[in-house]
Amino acid sequence: MTEQQIRSFGQALAERFKQIGDERATAERRFRESFYSTTSTRFEVLELERKRDTTKAAFDSWKEVTDNLPFEIQRAFTDHYQKINPSEA
């Protein structure tokens, strides 16, 4: 791979990883809100719990993949991820 291809690939991975992390955070927040709400039905809570678990599994899978990237791609991934998600830097 050329340097440009490595950088583009790492950046694309970082964008998707951030999106998956955002989906996980949203699912977790919605589940907690529903869980503690007196107006939520048991079905709603269970459905949101399932979504939370699904997004967590996806995030964990992506985390495993990104932790095992070749060094050059991992560096491009990390650099871009820190730019687009400074709270995680």
Side-chain angles (χ1 to χ4, degrees), residues 12-23:
L13 288 174
E15 294 285 342
R16 182 64 179 132
F17 187 70
K18 182 181 183 315
Q19 182 183 24
I20 289 172
D22 291 347
E23 290 169 1

